[in-house]
PDB file of all heavy atoms in Angstrom:
ATOM      1  N   ALA X 159     103.722  51.949  80.441  1.00 89.00           N
ATOM      2  CA  ALA X 159     103.713  51.948  78.980  1.00 89.00           C
ATOM      3  C   ALA X 159     102.296  52.169  78.461  1.00 89.00           C
ATOM      4  O   ALA X 159     101.321  51.684  79.040  1.00 89.00           O
ATOM      5  CB  ALA X 159     104.252  50.617  78.452  1.00 89.00           C
ATOM      6  N   ALA X 160     102.226  52.890  77.368  1.00 86.00           N
ATOM      7  CA  ALA X 160     100.928  53.106  76.751  1.00 86.00           C
ATOM      8  C   ALA X 160     100.267  51.773  76.469  1.00 86.00           C
ATOM      9  O   ALA X 160     100.933  50.783  76.188  1.00 86.00           O
ATOM     10  CB  ALA X 160     101.104  53.877  75.449  1.00 86.00           C
ATOM     11  N   ASN X 161      98.948  51.759  76.569  1.00 87.00           N
ATOM     12  CA  ASN X 161      98.175  50.612  76.131  1.00 87.00           C
ATOM     13  C   ASN X 161      98.278  49.406  77.064  1.00 87.00           C
ATOM     14  O   ASN X 161      97.789  48.344  76.730  1.00 87.00           O
ATOM     15  CB  ASN X 161      98.638  50.166  74.735  1.00 87.00           C
ATOM     16  CG  ASN X 161      97.492  50.198  73.745  1.00 87.00           C
ATOM     17  OD1 ASN X 161      96.490  50.864  73.973  1.00 87.00           O
ATOM     18  ND2 ASN X 161      97.641  49.503  72.659  1.00 87.00           N
ATOM     19  N   SER X 162      98.941  49.547  78.197  1.00 91.00           N
ATOM     20  CA  SER X 162      99.092  48.380  79.074  1.00 91.00           C
ATOM     21  C   SER X 162      97.980  48.361  80.115  1.00 91.00           C
ATOM     22  O   SER X 162      97.456  49.388  80.523  1.00 91.00           O
ATOM     23  CB  SER X 162     100.461  48.413  79.761  1.00 91.00           C
ATOM     24  OG  SER X 162     100.633  49.612  80.492  1.00 91.00           O
ATOM     25  N   ASN X 163      97.637  47.169  80.548  1.00 95.00           N
ATOM     26  CA  ASN X 163      96.710  47.023  81.657  1.00 95.00           C
ATOM     27  C   ASN X 163      97.474  47.130  82.972  1.00 95.00           C
ATOM     28  O   ASN X 163      98.703  47.270  82.986  1.00 95.00           O
ATOM     29  CB  ASN X 163      96.013  45.667  81.575  1.00 95.00           C
ATOM     30  CG  ASN X 163      95.170  45.522  80.322  1.00 95.00           C
ATOM     31  OD1 ASN X 163      94.422  46.428  79.981  1.00 95.00           O
ATOM     32  ND2 ASN X 163      95.299  44.413  79.633  1.00 95.00           N
ATOM     33  N   ASP X 166      97.187  41.749  84.224  1.00 96.00           N
ATOM     34  CA  ASP X 166      96.748  41.107  82.991  1.00 96.00           C
ATOM     35  C   ASP X 166      96.957  39.614  83.192  1.00 96.00           C
ATOM     36  O   ASP X 166      98.082  39.132  83.222  1.00 96.00           O
ATOM     37  CB  ASP X 166      97.595  41.644  81.832  1.00 96.00           C
ATOM     38  CG  ASP X 166      97.126  41.126  80.484  1.00 96.00           C
ATOM     39  OD1 ASP X 166      96.713  39.960  80.412  1.00 96.00           O
ATOM     40  OD2 ASP X 166      97.173  41.900  79.511  1.00 96.00           O
ATOM     41  N   LYS X 184      94.946  50.997  80.624  1.00 93.00           N
ATOM     42  CA  LYS X 184      93.731  50.437  80.000  1.00 93.00           C
ATOM     43  C   LYS X 184      92.823  49.887  81.089  1.00 93.00           C
ATOM     44  O   LYS X 184      92.177  50.636  81.788  1.00 93.00           O
ATOM     45  CB  LYS X 184      94.097  49.371  78.975  1.00 93.00           C
ATOM     46  CG  LYS X 184      94.609  49.957  77.670  1.00 93.00           C
ATOM     47  CD  LYS X 184      95.072  48.890  76.707  1.00 93.00           C
ATOM     48  CE  LYS X 184      93.968  47.950  76.303  1.00 93.00           C
ATOM     49  NZ  LYS X 184      94.488  46.837  75.470  1.00 93.00           N
ATOM     50  N   ARG X 188      92.492  42.839  84.457  1.00 97.00           N
ATOM     51  CA  ARG X 188      91.866  42.088  83.369  1.00 97.00           C
ATOM     52  C   ARG X 188      92.221  40.619  83.538  1.00 97.00           C
ATOM     53  O   ARG X 188      93.388  40.246  83.563  1.00 97.00           O
ATOM     54  CB  ARG X 188      92.369  42.591  82.022  1.00 97.00           C
ATOM     55  CG  ARG X 188      91.770  41.861  80.827  1.00 97.00           C
ATOM     56  CD  ARG X 188      92.445  42.279  79.524  1.00 97.00           C
ATOM     57  NE  ARG X 188      91.909  41.557  78.393  1.00 97.00           N
ATOM     58  CZ  ARG X 188      90.992  42.053  77.545  1.00 97.00           C
ATOM     59  NH1 ARG X 188      90.561  43.275  77.720  1.00 97.00           N
ATOM     60  NH2 ARG X 188      90.541  41.340  76.539  1.00 97.00           N
TER      61      ARG X 188
ATOM     62  N   GLN M 221     104.197  38.721  78.268  1.00 91.00           N
ATOM     63  CA  GLN M 221     103.571  39.592  77.263  1.00 91.00           C
ATOM     64  C   GLN M 221     103.851  39.111  75.846  1.00 91.00           C
ATOM     65  O   GLN M 221     103.055  39.365  74.940  1.00 91.00           O
ATOM     66  CB  GLN M 221     104.078  41.030  77.423  1.00 91.00           C
ATOM     67  CG  GLN M 221     103.306  41.818  78.456  1.00 91.00           C
ATOM     68  CD  GLN M 221     103.854  43.219  78.620  1.00 91.00           C
ATOM     69  OE1 GLN M 221     105.070  43.422  78.627  1.00 91.00           O
ATOM     70  NE2 GLN M 221     102.973  44.175  78.766  1.00 91.00           N
ATOM     71  N   GLN M 224     101.128  37.501  74.035  1.00 84.00           N
ATOM     72  CA  GLN M 224      99.979  38.248  73.498  1.00 84.00           C
ATOM     73  C   GLN M 224      99.994  38.267  71.979  1.00 84.00           C
ATOM     74  O   GLN M 224      98.950  38.267  71.343  1.00 84.00           O
ATOM     75  CB  GLN M 224      99.972  39.680  74.031  1.00 84.00           C
ATOM     76  CG  GLN M 224      99.562  39.754  75.487  1.00 84.00           C
ATOM     77  CD  GLN M 224      99.357  41.186  75.949  1.00 84.00           C
ATOM     78  OE1 GLN M 224      99.186  42.090  75.150  1.00 84.00           O
ATOM     79  NE2 GLN M 224      99.399  41.401  77.237  1.00 84.00           N
ATOM     80  N   CYS M 225     101.185  38.324  71.409  1.00 87.00           N
ATOM     81  CA  CYS M 225     101.264  38.319  69.946  1.00 87.00           C
ATOM     82  C   CYS M 225     101.561  36.933  69.407  1.00 87.00           C
ATOM     83  O   CYS M 225     101.020  36.539  68.377  1.00 87.00           O
ATOM     84  CB  CYS M 225     102.353  39.277  69.475  1.00 87.00           C
ATOM     85  SG  CYS M 225     102.060  40.985  69.938  1.00 87.00           S
ATOM     86  N   CYS M 308      97.314  38.239  65.606  1.00 93.00           N
ATOM     87  CA  CYS M 308      96.142  38.211  66.496  1.00 93.00           C
ATOM     88  C   CYS M 308      94.843  38.138  65.680  1.00 93.00           C
ATOM     89  O   CYS M 308      93.929  37.394  66.024  1.00 93.00           O
ATOM     90  CB  CYS M 308      96.100  39.453  67.378  1.00 93.00           C
ATOM     91  SG  CYS M 308      97.431  39.541  68.585  1.00 93.00           S
ATOM     92  N   HIS M 309      94.766  38.952  64.653  1.00 95.00           N
ATOM     93  CA  HIS M 309      93.523  39.032  63.881  1.00 95.00           C
ATOM     94  C   HIS M 309      93.483  37.935  62.824  1.00 95.00           C
ATOM     95  O   HIS M 309      93.656  38.188  61.635  1.00 95.00           O
ATOM     96  CB  HIS M 309      93.373  40.415  63.253  1.00 95.00           C
ATOM     97  CG  HIS M 309      92.921  41.444  64.240  1.00 95.00           C
ATOM     98  ND1 HIS M 309      91.621  41.523  64.680  1.00 95.00           N
ATOM     99  CD2 HIS M 309      93.596  42.409  64.892  1.00 95.00           C
ATOM    100  CE1 HIS M 309      91.512  42.515  65.558  1.00 95.00           C
ATOM    101  NE2 HIS M 309      92.696  43.056  65.712  1.00 95.00           N
ATOM    102  N   ALA M 315      92.137  37.480  69.795  1.00 83.00           N
ATOM    103  CA  ALA M 315      91.606  38.788  69.409  1.00 83.00           C
ATOM    104  C   ALA M 315      90.770  38.673  68.144  1.00 83.00           C
ATOM    105  O   ALA M 315      89.740  39.339  67.992  1.00 83.00           O
ATOM    106  CB  ALA M 315      92.740  39.787  69.201  1.00 83.00           C
ATOM    107  N   ARG M 365      92.862  53.164  64.658  1.00 94.00           N
ATOM    108  CA  ARG M 365      93.619  52.454  65.692  1.00 94.00           C
ATOM    109  C   ARG M 365      95.100  52.336  65.328  1.00 94.00           C
ATOM    110  O   ARG M 365      95.961  52.299  66.201  1.00 94.00           O
ATOM    111  CB  ARG M 365      93.022  51.065  65.909  1.00 94.00           C
ATOM    112  CG  ARG M 365      91.710  51.069  66.680  1.00 94.00           C
ATOM    113  CD  ARG M 365      91.315  49.636  66.990  1.00 94.00           C
ATOM    114  NE  ARG M 365      90.105  49.500  67.770  1.00 94.00           N
ATOM    115  CZ  ARG M 365      90.053  49.614  69.093  1.00 94.00           C
ATOM    116  NH1 ARG M 365      91.122  49.915  69.775  1.00 94.00           N
ATOM    117  NH2 ARG M 365      88.911  49.433  69.728  1.00 94.00           N
ATOM    118  N   GLY M 372      94.913  52.696  74.964  1.00 82.00           N
ATOM    119  CA  GLY M 372      93.591  52.100  75.015  1.00 82.00           C
ATOM    120  C   GLY M 372      92.875  52.099  73.683  1.00 82.00           C
ATOM    121  O   GLY M 372      91.872  51.426  73.519  1.00 82.00           O
ATOM    122  N   MET M 374      94.967  52.466  70.604  1.00 90.00           N
ATOM    123  CA  MET M 374      95.870  52.127  69.514  1.00 90.00           C
ATOM    124  C   MET M 374      96.069  50.630  69.365  1.00 90.00           C
ATOM    125  O   MET M 374      95.898  49.854  70.294  1.00 90.00           O
ATOM    126  CB  MET M 374      97.208  52.828  69.711  1.00 90.00           C
ATOM    127  CG  MET M 374      97.923  52.491  70.994  1.00 90.00           C
ATOM    128  SD  MET M 374      99.277  53.656  71.239  1.00 90.00           S
ATOM    129  CE  MET M 374     100.642  52.532  71.195  1.00 90.00           C
ATOM    130  N   MET M 375      96.410  50.267  68.161  1.00 92.00           N
ATOM    131  CA  MET M 375      96.779  48.894  67.825  1.00 92.00           C
ATOM    132  C   MET M 375      98.141  48.928  67.134  1.00 92.00           C
ATOM    133  O   MET M 375      98.440  49.894  66.444  1.00 92.00           O
ATOM    134  CB  MET M 375      95.728  48.267  66.895  1.00 92.00           C
ATOM    135  CG  MET M 375      94.451  47.848  67.594  1.00 92.00           C
ATOM    136  SD  MET M 375      94.735  46.305  68.480  1.00 92.00           S
ATOM    137  CE  MET M 375      93.288  46.292  69.549  1.00 92.00           C
ATOM    138  N   PRO M 376      98.929  47.868  67.258  1.00 90.00           N
ATOM    139  CA  PRO M 376      98.653  46.706  68.095  1.00 90.00           C
ATOM    140  C   PRO M 376      98.736  47.038  69.579  1.00 90.00           C
ATOM    141  O   PRO M 376      99.195  48.116  69.961  1.00 90.00           O
ATOM    142  CB  PRO M 376      99.743  45.713  67.688  1.00 90.00           C
ATOM    143  CG  PRO M 376     100.836  46.538  67.141  1.00 90.00           C
ATOM    144  CD  PRO M 376     100.197  47.743  66.537  1.00 90.00           C
ATOM    145  N   GLN M 377      98.283  46.101  70.394  1.00 85.00           N
ATOM    146  CA  GLN M 377      98.142  46.399  71.818  1.00 85.00           C
ATOM    147  C   GLN M 377      99.474  46.635  72.498  1.00 85.00           C
ATOM    148  O   GLN M 377      99.566  47.458  73.403  1.00 85.00           O
ATOM    149  CB  GLN M 377      97.414  45.253  72.515  1.00 85.00           C
ATOM    150  CG  GLN M 377      95.986  45.133  72.056  1.00 85.00           C
ATOM    151  CD  GLN M 377      95.094  44.492  73.086  1.00 85.00           C
ATOM    152  OE1 GLN M 377      95.478  44.303  74.221  1.00 85.00           O
ATOM    153  NE2 GLN M 377      93.888  44.160  72.699  1.00 85.00           N
ATOM    154  N   ILE M 378     100.494  45.885  72.093  1.00 84.00           N
ATOM    155  CA  ILE M 378     101.816  46.153  72.643  1.00 84.00           C
ATOM    156  C   ILE M 378     102.799  46.242  71.494  1.00 84.00           C
ATOM    157  O   ILE M 378     102.493  45.894  70.361  1.00 84.00           O
ATOM    158  CB  ILE M 378     102.264  45.065  73.651  1.00 84.00           C
ATOM    159  CG1 ILE M 378     102.368  43.703  72.965  1.00 84.00           C
ATOM    160  CG2 ILE M 378     101.326  45.000  74.831  1.00 84.00           C
ATOM    161  CD1 ILE M 378     102.967  42.658  73.869  1.00 84.00           C
ATOM    162  N   GLY M 379     103.975  46.767  71.791  1.00 83.00           N
ATOM    163  CA  GLY M 379     105.018  46.842  70.779  1.00 83.00           C
ATOM    164  C   GLY M 379     105.032  48.137  69.998  1.00 83.00           C
ATOM    165  O   GLY M 379     105.819  48.307  69.073  1.00 83.00           O
ATOM    166  N   ARG M 380     104.154  49.047  70.367  1.00 86.00           N
ATOM    167  CA  ARG M 380     104.133  50.302  69.636  1.00 86.00           C
ATOM    168  C   ARG M 380     103.800  51.441  70.594  1.00 86.00           C
ATOM    169  O   ARG M 380     102.868  51.321  71.393  1.00 86.00           O
ATOM    170  CB  ARG M 380     103.093  50.241  68.526  1.00 86.00           C
ATOM    171  CG  ARG M 380     102.753  51.552  67.872  1.00 86.00           C
ATOM    172  CD  ARG M 380     102.020  51.358  66.570  1.00 86.00           C
ATOM    173  NE  ARG M 380     100.569  51.570  66.646  1.00 86.00           N
ATOM    174  CZ  ARG M 380      99.992  52.763  66.821  1.00 86.00           C
ATOM    175  NH1 ARG M 380     100.706  53.848  66.985  1.00 86.00           N
ATOM    176  NH2 ARG M 380      98.672  52.863  66.869  1.00 86.00           N
TER     177      ARG M 380
END
Side-chain angles (χ1 to χ4, degrees):
Chain X
N161 238 20
S162 57
N163 297 314
D166 185 323
K184 283 175 62 186
R188 180 188 178 100
Chain M
Q221 275 178 319
Q224 287 189 19
C225 298
C308 293
H309 283 284
R365 285 187 178 278
M374 59 192 242
M375 284 283 165
Q377 293 206 11
I378 62 173
R380 168 165 102 70

